[in-house]
Amino acid sequence: MTRRSEVTGALRVNSEIYPERPPGFVLHEHGADSVLHCDDVPLTKLAERYGTPLYVYSATTIHERLAAFEKAFRNVPHTICYSVKANSNVSILRLLARQGCGFDVVSGGELERLLAAGHRRARKIVFSGVGKSRDEMTAALKAGILLFNVESESELLALAECAARLRKVARVAVRVNPDVAADTHPYISTGLHKHKFGVPIGSARTLYAKASGMQYLKVAGVSVHIGSQITDVAPFAEAVARVADFVRELRVDGHKVDYVDTGGGLGIAYQKPGLEFAEYVASYARAVTNPLRGLNVHLLLEPGRSIVGPAGVLVTSVLYRKENDGKRFLVVDAAMNDLIRPALYNAYHEIVPVVQSKDLSAKRETVDVVGPVCESGDFFARDRELPRVEEGALLAILDAGAYGMVLASNYNTRPRPAEVLVTRKSVKVIRRREKIRELYSAEL
Ligand SMILES: *Cc1c(COP(=O)(O)O)cnc(C)c1O
């Protein structure tokens, strides 16, 4: 049997690598072929039943990854606040909430989703983002969330005003900008002073002084988030070390700092083989907790991608094979509107045929995998070597669980895909496919 490595996104021909690994996305033998399954369910069956393009998630994988986080941080007081923006499907939020997870939201919409999902533990919700509106702050105050991560003096004043109007105390942390460079795509790097995020540590101190003078604000913590898809843990350690120094300064100033929120950003190995996940999270935990030793704070963590990324795939059908002067294309029925990461960040996603020949001498070819949208940026892979597949075949675009469906749009009046959640043998449609009529009905 061929098994998928936990963090690599690649398929490994060795069933012995992670014998205790949860099912996730795994190839199972089927006659002369191997068929990619999600947990115990063949993707061929899901595609036939629900059509393509189709997002498929493994509940088991989400559980396991959250559990790995909990285990890695078990020795320090902490709350994992899953970053809702990575994948905000109500059923996935419910699944995480049932496991005791908290949440990080960046909009009033995400907050409302959580409340609609029946999440009553507002004390486990933190609110981040550089442009929270007064309406959004008011909704969050009414819900009684744990913490507001404030990003500017103006926002602090607006929050104080909303809190005073409701006569409810807002717990605040200032999101500081540690001026730490992280090796990631420029669009998802946030921890340098040139970025719009956070307040430079040097000027954050006066903000804390202002906050502590306001009746309905309560200084509660310091937060930081340096970016996303960061696979080297050193920048996290560096940022948290700066935060730790700052916490000491604030305490000298007489502030009570109960929480340190270290944000999210832990990357996944889309392409290169990586460490086994538990080991990887453990090294991240060491990087984050070592600088905080002795500070006696409650740690808040906001992982998004690292929890749900590898737990989802986008299944698509090959519509046409096409050759232009020797360059080969596979035109598939998914497009940039369904999964924009390759177009937006030039991101790499592993792509595998859902049905694979076990014959190692089977033909391979170099192709571009492209969608039907009228943009040259509408591609999933360029010059990728894949086993030869025919028209009508299914492909799985791996590691699509994070920043996939949440970034989907209706560009070209394309309905967004359906989403299904698989738990071992059971399958649940967690979002039905949109109907074309719904896409223009608000215009009639
Ligand atoms: C996006 C974001 C996260 C989650 O980042 P991941 O890379 O998905 O872990 C966490 N915190 C904040 C403030 C964010 O903006």
Side-chain angles (χ1 to χ4, degrees):
M1 195 204 286
T2 309
R3 286 208 155 208
R4 175 139 173 248
S5 132
E6 182 126 10
V7 289
T8 61
L11 290 156
R12 292 195 183 177
V13 189
N14 183 351
S15 58
E16 303 309 314
I17 295 178
Y18 304 123
E20 78 283 71
R21 194 193 171 280
F25 294 92
V26 172
L27 284 166
H28 289 292
E29 291 183 13
H30 192 273
D33 296 324
S34 299
V35 177
L36 192 63
H37 284 55
C38 177
D39 284 17
D40 298 332
V41 183
L43 296 184
T44 40
K45 188 173 144 192
L46 294 175
E48 195 181 314
R49 183 116 168 245
Y50 304 107
T52 56
L54 179 72
Y55 274 102
V56 179
Y57 306 109
S58 159
T60 322
T61 305
I62 297 173
H63 274 299
E64 288 292 327
R65 297 180 80 86
L66 178 60
F69 259 95
E70 290 290 1
K71 183 159 182 251
F73 287 92
R74 69 190 178 282
N75 292 327
V76 297
H78 71 275
T79 303
I80 296 186
C81 296
Y82 165 74
S83 175
V84 173
K85 78 174 191 284
N87 187 321
S88 59
N89 186 288
V90 167
S91 295
I92 288 176
L93 300 180
R94 276 202 193 115
L95 181 156
L96 289 164
R98 274 201 302 274
Q99 233 178 315
C101 196
F103 298 95
D104 170 45
V105 300
V106 293
S107 73
E110 289 186 350
L111 177 67
E112 199 173 313
R113 251 176 203 282
L114 281 173
L115 301 177
H119 189 63
R120 297 278 165 261
R121 277 168 291 194
R123 280 300 294 252
K124 283 192 173 185
I125 298 177
V126 301
F127 196 168
S128 304
V130 67
K132 305 172 197 74
S133 72
R134 283 169 171 79
D135 283 349
E136 290 176 318
M137 290 179 192
T138 300
L141 280 162
K142 283 184 179 160
I145 67 161
L146 175 65
L147 190 66
F148 289 86
N149 288 327
V150 169
E151 302 214 14
S152 67
E153 181 171 347
S154 300
E155 189 197 338
L156 190 76
L157 298 176
L159 179 61
E161 195 185 295
C162 296
R165 193 171 301 137
L166 292 174
R167 297 176 193 280
K168 283 192 97 163
V169 172
R171 282 171 293 274
V172 298
V174 174
R175 173 168 171 184
V176 296
N177 188 322
D179 202 21
V180 165
D183 183 21
T184 187
H185 191 279
Y187 288 3
I188 50 175
S189 173
T190 60
L192 286 173
H193 64 83
K194 69 175 177 187
H195 297 130
K196 70 179 177 184
F197 297 99
V199 176
I201 288 196
S203 37
R205 205 166 163 184
T206 54
L207 233 59
Y208 278 92
K210 285 207 168 106
S212 68
M214 293 178 189
Q215 196 185 348
Y216 287 97
L217 296 186
K218 183 174 183 294
V219 170
V222 179
S223 81
V224 71
H225 171 74
I226 56 173
S228 197
Q229 187 46 24
I230 299 163
T231 49
D232 172 10
V233 300
F236 292 111
E238 201 180 326
V240 178
R242 289 185 193 179
V243 167
D245 286 341
F246 185 53
V247 169
R248 287 184 201 98
E249 262 181 61
L250 290 175
R251 284 181 172 167
V252 169
D253 289 350
H255 299 293
K256 204 161 165 289
V257 183
D258 297 328
Y259 296 95
V260 166
D261 180 344
T262 55
L266 185 65
I268 60 174
Y270 285 100
Q271 185 169 8
K272 285 172 275 169
L275 290 174
E276 193 255 334
F277 189 59
E279 215 178 300
Y280 179 51
V281 185
S283 77
Y284 171 69
R286 284 192 295 276
V288 168
T289 56
N290 279 345
L292 298 174
R293 216 174 260 164
L295 276 185
N296 199 18
V297 290
H298 187 102
L299 180 61
L300 300 172
L301 298 147
E302 302 171 350
R305 187 193 311 268
S306 53
I307 301 275
V308 292
V313 301
L314 176 60
V315 182
T316 183
S317 306
V318 177
L319 293 173
Y320 303 112
R321 295 179 52 89
K322 158 167 182 165
E323 203 166 315
N324 284 354
D325 291 336
K327 187 160 175 73
R328 286 187 181 161
F329 296 92
L330 297 178
V331 183
V332 298
D333 67 355
M336 62 186 289
N337 74 292
D338 303 307
L339 175 66
I340 204 176
R341 299 190 68 259
L344 189 59
Y345 312 119
N346 199 24
Y348 183 97
H349 281 270
E350 196 76 54
I351 299 177
V352 298
V354 168
V355 178
Q356 301 186 19
S357 164
K358 285 192 296 190
D359 177 4
L360 292 176
S361 64
K363 260 208 212 135
R364 298 179 71 81
E365 60 183 354
T366 299
V367 293
D368 280 16
V369 181
V370 302
V373 161
C374 307
E375 301 249 359
S376 294
D378 181 27
F379 67 92
F380 294 113
R382 282 180 167 155
D383 296 321
R384 183 78 58 89
E385 195 193 297
L386 290 180
R388 185 186 159 101
V389 291
E390 301 306 323
E391 294 179 356
L394 295 170
L395 296 176
I397 303 173
L398 304 187
D399 300 311
Y403 305 106
M405 187 60 176
V406 286
L407 278 162
S409 77
N410 296 119
Y411 189 37
N412 281 204
T413 306
R414 289 170 50 89
R416 282 176 292 177
E419 295 177 287
V420 298
L421 181 65
V422 177
T423 313
R424 298 182 205 288
K425 283 185 174 29
S426 93
V427 179
K428 188 181 160 208
V429 177
I430 58 173
R431 191 179 211 277
R432 63 165 175 76
R433 191 176 299 282
E434 283 176 331
K435 296 187 173 69
I436 287 176
R437 182 174 15 90
E438 295 170 315
L439 308 189
Y440 59 80
S441 61
E443 302 161 26
L444 297 176

